Amino acid sequence: KIRQSKDALCADGSFEVLLKGYPFVYKRSYNESSIIIAVNPSNQESEMELPKVCDVLIAENVERDNNKIKFNKQSYIVYVTE
C-alpha cells in the first residue's frame, strides 16, 4: 500500500544513495515527494540518526530512541522528512 500511496516510489522516481554500508540509506523522489529508506540486511547491528522531524511509515526490527535508530539484524525503516 505504501508504494501505491507515495509518488516518490513510482517507477519514474529518482534514486539517490545517501549512505553506503550498513545501514544502506537511499532517497527516492518524484516531483515534490521524497522518501528515505534505510536497510540493514546484515547479521550485525548498526545505528543511525533520523532527522528531528520525520514521519515513520513502516519499520521492522528497529529500536527508536528519540532521533536515534538501532538496527537489529536484517531490519529496515521507511520515513518521510518534513
Side-chain angles (χ1 to χ4, degrees):
K1 289 188 175 190
I2 291 175
R3 184 171 183 191
Q4 295 171 345
S5 67
K6 300 296 179 188
D7 289 343
L9 297 176
C10 74
D12 293 330
S14 66
F15 178 92
E16 176 186 356
V17 175
L18 302 177
L19 181 64
K20 293 181 181 179
Y22 302 117
F24 178 73
V25 183
Y26 62 96
K27 178 167 76 169
R28 293 288 311 267
S29 300
Y30 184 75
N31 291 334
E32 300 297 316
S33 175
S34 292
I35 290 184
I36 309 292
I37 301 160
V39 180
N40 178 22
S42 76
N43 286 324
Q44 303 293 319
E45 295 178 349
S46 61
E47 293 184 353
M48 71 175 272
E49 288 191 25
L50 290 177
K52 292 186 182 200
V53 179
C54 72
D55 181 23
V56 175
L57 301 175
I58 189 169
E60 186 169 324
N61 210 17
V62 299
E63 298 171 32
R64 186 173 181 183
D65 182 15
N66 293 320
N67 65 326
K68 292 187 181 187
I69 296 292
K70 177 184 173 189
F71 290 84
N72 295 306
K73 299 174 184 179
Q74 301 172 350
S75 52
Y76 67 88
I77 189 168
V78 178
Y79 64 94
V80 179
T81 57
E82 299 292 327

